[in-house]
Amino acid sequence: PILMLQSPSRIFHRNLNAHLPVAQASAGVYISDKQGNRYLDACGGAAVSCLGHGHPRVIESIKHQLDTMAYAHSGFFTSETSEQLAQFLAQRAPENIEHVYFLSGGSEAVEAALKMARQYFLELGQPSKQKFIARRQSYHGNTLGALSVSGNRWRRQQFEPMLMDVELISPCYAYRDQLEGETERDYGLRVANELESKIAEMGAENVIGFIAEPVVGATSGALVPVPGYFKRIREICDRHNILLILDEVMCGMGRTGSLFACEQEGVRPDIITIAKGLAAGYQPIGATLCSNQIYSQFRDGSGAFQHGHTYVGHATACAAALAVQQTIEDENLLENVSHMGEVLNMALHERFGEHPFVGDIRGRGLFRALELVADRNTKAPLLHQLSMAAEIKRQGMAQGLACYPNSGTIDGLHGDHILLAPPYIIEQSHVEEIVDKLGLAVDAALNAKGITV
Ligand code: PLP
């Protein structure tokens, strides 16, 4: 058993009945708890710790920033560090994405993206544009605006009456939705065209934008779009004067092998949101990047974005992010992401390719997932009452492995997947340890629920 605190906790934890180990030390790909148990961090929390733990260069940069100028409010000052980070990102972002609005996390980045998109059309004199289109089985954050555009039923359901009215279309989920006899490309076009039908239904003059994760993370498990899907989405957005907002909070910042995930789709969005891997968990930070057209419209129009938070452009958070990003670049870590991503993919196929309860193995770079099923032929999910994802997480921790399982993969209730998002510094031996421990955890979880493998 892994518990740990002497007196009852005063923290309002996520799960009030969970017994959490106390994280005490972390280095490289491992986190240790107070009892001396060691966990391989195969998911970086929720795809956050992309550089691994305890990187000296990042820690040094944070200390230096604290020693010189920890924080100054962005309404009064800018800082050299935040300016440098914005330059760094703008220089590497997809063509024409030239400006960066800093925030403190993913949900804030999405909120800013939604409001920026709305105000952009006001600046243009198009006030009728008021609605967003998003996708089912997506997650964009837990604040009310970000939750409104999230198609994650489990996360939304209790707050539904408080959410904005957002229209949802299908995800690009070939494993389940591609029809027999339909090519990948035709499938991609068919689901992308749902956007055009939805715009026609709503009237393009009322639609602000479409938001999607290029590679879907927490809700669907490293769901990669089929080739051509996002190109078609871009065409539709252009044709109808709709902004394309790509949420790369989880899949961005190198996770899939390119700094921005959308580079591999060959599309240029109007707005991109990033967070998690940006400062790799060393500090909380997110950002909303926008095109030159959007920025110019604000500059030549009202001159101000009607938004802001206290910690926008926090100098210490920016120092951490800059050091993380420079380290990834200087150490050529994205090459390791692509290379070790393939190594991990092969190891997963070797271990789980014939597993009777693993239906799909998918992902890109160091963003990989297994989708669990009760029957590989029919793809029927395991009974949701089994809460298999929670059991696998528990069994993983008992094995010394932190992975990120989730339920509701198919429709918010049914289906389970396990997401892996290890640090970009992983080596062959870590891959072996991840796959060994994951295999044990999955089989132990199935056995614990009375299913014999
Ligand atoms: N967008 C995506 C794609 C995410 O995966 C998440 C978090 O998992 C968020 C937004 C919200 O980010 P945060 O938890 O930092 O608010």
Side-chain angles (χ1 to χ4, degrees), residues 185 189 192-193 195-196 199 210 228-242 244 266-268 270:
R185 198 160 282 276
L189 290 180
N193 285 339
L195 178 61
E196 195 152 52
I199 294 167
F210 173 65
Y229 170 82
F230 271 106
K231 282 218 165 107
R232 177 71 186 129
I233 291 282
R234 177 74 265 183
E235 271 171 28
I236 295 169
C237 290
D238 286 343
R239 183 180 307 160
H240 298 285
N241 184 29
I242 306 290
L244 175 59
V267 292
R268 182 189 53 71
D270 301 292

Side-chain angles (χ1 to χ4, degrees), residues 157-316:
Q157 148 178 305
Q158 306 190 46
F159 307 103
E160 205 72 59
M162 301 157 71
L163 302 180
M164 297 190 293
D165 184 16
V166 169
E167 294 289 334
L168 302 176
I169 61 168
S170 296
C172 186
Y173 192 178
Y175 170 65
R176 291 210 169 261
D177 298 341
Q178 186 179 345
L179 302 174
E180 239 186 272
E182 189 177 38
T183 65
E184 247 190 0
R185 198 160 282 276
D186 285 349
Y187 165 66
L189 290 180
R190 174 165 64 82
V191 274
N193 285 339
E194 282 189 25
L195 178 61
E196 195 152 52
S197 310
K198 189 55 81 179
I199 294 167
E201 212 177 273
M202 296 163 73
E205 69 284 6
N206 301 314
V207 182
I208 298 171
F210 173 65
I211 181 167
E213 298 162 76
V215 179
V216 186
T219 307
S220 308
L223 198 54
V224 177
V226 298
Y229 170 82
F230 271 106
K231 282 218 165 107
R232 177 71 186 129
I233 291 282
R234 177 74 265 183
E235 271 171 28
I236 295 169
C237 290
D238 286 343
R239 183 180 307 160
H240 298 285
N241 184 29
I242 306 290
L243 295 181
L244 175 59
I245 303 172
L246 292 184
D247 181 355
E248 299 210 359
V249 164
M250 193 176 258
C251 62
M253 296 292 97
R255 177 56 55 200
T256 63
S258 48
L259 191 60
F260 292 87
C262 61
E263 290 170 37
Q264 295 182 58
E265 301 311 317
V267 292
R268 182 189 53 71
D270 301 292
I271 296 179
I272 309 179
T273 53
I274 54 175
K276 300 186 187 280
L278 177 55
Y282 288 88
Q283 290 284 294
I285 184 168
T288 303
L289 284 66
C290 74
S291 68
N292 199 30
Q293 282 88 331
I294 294 179
Y295 182 80
S296 312
Q297 207 59 47
F298 279 78
R299 185 196 55 213
D300 303 339
S302 69
F305 176 24
Q306 186 55 51
H307 195 57
H309 297 284
T310 300
Y311 300 120
V312 159
H314 196 292
T316 308

